[in-house]
Amino acid sequence: MTTIAVRWFNAENVLFSAILFLVEFIRGAGVISFLPIYGEKTLGLSLDVIGIAVTAHYVTDTVLKLIIGYLLDRLSAHIVVQIGLVLTTAGIAMLPYSQSPWLFITASALFGIGISPIWIVCLTRVSDRKRATQMGFLYTIWFVGLGTGPIVANILLDYTRSGTYMMLLIASAVALVLSLLMKPGRASGVATIPFTEQLHILRDKLSQMKLLLPGMILQTTGASMLVPILPSFATDQLGLTGAQYSLLLVIGGGFTVAGLMPLGRLADKLGGKKWFLVIGFACFGIMLYSLAWAPSFWQCLLLAAILGLSYAAVLPAWNALLASYVPIKQQGLGWGLFSTVEGIGVMIGPIVGGVIASRIGVPAVVWYSAALFGLIALFYLWFPFRHFKEKQSDSRKKG
């Protein structure tokens, strides 16, 4: 445990973690809080243009993951990360001059380019031993950055939009400066393989994991379909005030962050990642089902805490399962491909949630999401994890 910790918490990985935190902080503050308000109130853009701009951000982030993964296998990681952060900073710098819709959409799309590289670089740094523990740490950095961004932005937006904009620009510039400290070189063990050969290897991997592909998309779809209805569900169905809803999010996020590393460490120690996935997704579905019955505020707080712990149990174990399918010599392209597949759910989830809410009602979205997570838990109960363990053993021998 000590040796693994020393290997992970070295200067280079701490640098990567700092860049990852800043990037996710910028994403949370910019996309969730700043862009909608700044676009409408300051630039005078319509809501449909703002919606397209936010979608452009996520589409850019998702689609480019595959290309970025390929580049990380062939170029030095510091070059790919730096180019991405230069484009992200340029996108933020364009915002004050983006009164026209196409400029605003372009700026938002550029803003999304620099998000992907550092996350994929961090994934390639995680070792097979203690994977869940290390992923627990990475997910903690990701979650804290993504969560604190909107909180800080919302507070600043009450006083100054220009100040909030400067915060985003400075944070992006600091991330870019930190990326200049990254050492040249590709990830260890990465070989330059002709692109056609890489496609053949990945095709074989996708064929092997074809049973997992629907689950990858459904997991992110089930979570993201809640995004457009959560505020209205909290106020209209649960009867919560804005302050109570914020507290609910803080409790859920706090328990997720608190549970990520201990549960990841426990998953490594026990080796029972199957049950972390089964129990985690089952609890997630049950808690959502319970929320749909409009419980009291104090009961909502308890459900939010259990939801957070369930999420913390799932994330490291899920990554460990996915890692067994990543080609040893193509970690950048492999993680980029799998992140792209997961990103499909992130893109379609809000659309599905919005359609269900408009046609059946807001509570129905929570019901369907709960049922989806229940089915995913049953899937992992059935999934042949013996094959997964054999694949992990083979990959370690090859590595």
Side-chain angles (χ1 to χ4, degrees):
M1 171 68 184
T2 304
T3 304
I4 296 296
V6 170
R7 287 177 182 174
W8 178 252
F9 294 106
N10 56 37
E12 190 173 27
N13 285 338
V14 170
L15 175 63
F16 292 165
S17 300
I19 298 172
L20 177 63
F21 171 81
L22 285 170
V23 163
E24 294 302 333
F25 177 89
I26 294 165
R27 186 216 292 271
V31 178
I32 297 175
S33 298
F34 181 73
L35 283 180
I37 295 176
Y38 190 77
E40 181 183 9
K41 306 296 184 183
T42 302
L43 301 178
L45 299 172
S46 61
L47 292 179
D48 58 341
V49 170
I50 294 170
I52 294 172
V54 172
T55 300
H57 171 89
Y58 283 115
V59 168
T60 304
D61 178 33
T62 300
V63 172
L64 285 182
K65 278 188 170 73
L66 180 58
I67 300 173
I68 289 168
Y70 170 73
L71 291 175
L72 284 172
D73 286 337
R74 305 182 71 83
L75 301 174
S76 177
H78 81 291
I79 293 176
V80 179
V81 172
Q82 286 167 17
I83 292 174
L85 288 173
V86 165
L87 293 175
T88 289
T89 306
I92 297 174
M94 283 175 58
L95 287 174
Y97 312 100
S98 302
Q99 288 85 359
S100 66
W102 71 269
L103 269 179
F104 187 73
I105 294 169
T106 301
S108 182
L110 285 174
F111 180 27
I113 293 176
I115 304 297
S116 301
I118 188 62
W119 175 248
I120 298 176
V121 168
C122 287
L123 288 177
T124 63
R125 303 284 299 181
V126 175
S127 62
D128 284 333
R129 293 182 61 201
K130 304 297 181 183
R131 170 168 288 275
T133 303
Q134 294 176 1
M135 283 309 304
F137 171 75
L138 276 184
Y139 276 123
T140 299
I141 296 295
W142 165 75
F143 203 84
V144 171
L146 195 63
T148 55
I151 294 174
V152 174
N154 286 336
I155 293 173
L156 281 178
L157 283 168
D158 285 339
Y159 299 96
T160 168
R161 289 178 212 144
S162 60
T164 309
Y165 166 77
M166 288 305 301
M167 177 195 70
L168 286 175
L169 188 60
I170 291 171
S172 182
V174 170
L176 177 58
V177 170
L178 288 178
S179 72
L180 300 176
L181 302 178
M182 293 175 62
K183 297 178 181 178
R186 296 195 299 272
S188 59
V190 173
T192 301
I193 304 174
F195 185 62
T196 53
E197 184 179 343
Q198 292 194 33
L199 290 180
H200 286 306
I201 295 172
L202 283 175
R203 183 185 62 189
D204 293 339
K205 289 291 182 180
L206 285 173
S207 177
Q208 293 171 10
M209 64 181 295
K210 57 187 175 185
L211 290 176
L212 274 182
L213 293 177
M216 292 171 66
I217 297 174
L218 289 177
Q219 287 164 207
T220 50
T221 300
S224 60
M225 64 192 288
L226 295 170
V227 173
I229 61 96
L230 273 180
S232 60
F233 178 78
T235 55
D236 299 338
Q237 306 299 321
L238 300 181
L240 303 180
T241 64
Q244 288 175 328
Y245 176 55
S246 298
L247 179 59
L248 203 67
L249 294 178
V250 169
I251 292 294
F255 272 83
T256 300
V257 171
L260 277 170
M261 290 192 68
L263 289 173
R265 201 175 294 121
L266 186 62
D268 281 327
K269 183 177 181 181
L270 299 179
K273 295 179 177 64
K274 168 180 180 174
W275 296 107
F276 278 81
L277 291 172
V278 172
I279 296 173
F281 280 119
C283 287
F284 211 91
I286 293 170
M287 295 307 106
L288 284 177
Y289 175 82
S290 302
L291 273 177
W293 286 97
S296 67
F297 173 61
W298 297 108
Q299 290 173 326
C300 286
L301 291 179
L302 177 61
L303 294 176
I306 299 174
L307 277 170
L309 289 175
S310 302
Y311 195 48
V314 162
L315 282 178
W318 163 248
N319 179 271
L321 172 61
L322 200 59
S324 65
Y325 291 95
V326 176
I328 296 297
K329 302 297 184 181
Q330 300 171 270
Q331 292 198 42
L333 186 59
W335 282 116
L337 176 63
F338 300 151
S339 296
T340 300
V341 173
E342 289 183 305
I344 294 173
V346 176
M347 290 190 294
I348 67 176
I351 299 173
V352 173
V355 170
I356 294 175
S358 61
R359 295 190 177 183
I360 306 177
V362 169
V365 181
V366 182
W367 292 103
Y368 279 105
S369 180
L372 202 55
F373 283 113
L375 290 174
I376 293 170
L378 291 176
F379 168 77
Y380 286 118
L381 185 62
W382 161 84
F383 185 80
F385 273 77
R386 180 180 300 176
H387 177 61
F388 158 55
K389 291 178 181 178
E390 290 171 356
K391 288 178 61 55
Q392 272 198 323
S393 177
D394 291 342
S395 67
R396 285 173 184 170
K397 289 177 183 178
K398 291 177 184 177

